[in-house]
Amino acid sequence: MTANHLNYLSAGLAFFAAILWFVSATVQVKAKDKVSADGWIEASLESYGNDVIESAKLQQKWSRRGAYAAAAAAAIQGFAILVSSGAN
């Protein structure tokens, strides 16, 4: 695989990471009442009709995916630099 191929792959992963991070910044979970086994409605934190805690959990999940994609892009970019410097 040439350095150019690696650069294209790295760029693609970087764009993918950007999309994942955008999703992590905008995803929300709508609030809904949770009823316990005893019939009580469980407490929750809500903001503008969204469940704050569940939204944070989902945002963290998407952010982690974005970080993995960005790390892969950086590693491939570093490998591309090594390949191109070794070819000269």
Side-chain angles (χ1 to χ4, degrees), residues 15-29 55 58-66:
F15 282 120
F16 185 57
I19 291 167
L20 291 171
W21 274 330
F22 178 78
V23 170
S24 80
T26 58
V27 70
Q28 298 288 328
V29 175
S55 292
L58 188 57
Q59 289 168 353
Q60 186 271 335
K61 178 178 166 181
W62 282 100
S63 182
R64 181 179 60 241
R65 291 174 179 169

Side-chain angles (χ1 to χ4, degrees), residues 15-61:
F15 282 120
F16 185 57
I19 291 167
L20 291 171
W21 274 330
F22 178 78
V23 170
S24 80
T26 58
V27 70
Q28 298 288 328
V29 175
K30 292 292 179 196
K32 57 184 175 189
D33 289 338
K34 299 175 192 171
V35 180
S36 70
D38 297 335
W40 290 86
I41 295 175
E42 295 181 11
S44 66
L45 294 175
E46 296 180 17
S47 176
Y48 300 105
N50 297 313
D51 187 321
V52 174
I53 302 299
E54 293 303 316
S55 292
K57 288 178 184 177
L58 188 57
Q59 289 168 353
Q60 186 271 335
K61 178 178 166 181

Side-chain angles (χ1 to χ4, degrees), residues 1-14:
M1 188 172 270
T2 67
N4 278 341
H5 289 109
L6 292 171
N7 285 330
Y8 291 135
L9 181 59
S10 175
L13 282 169

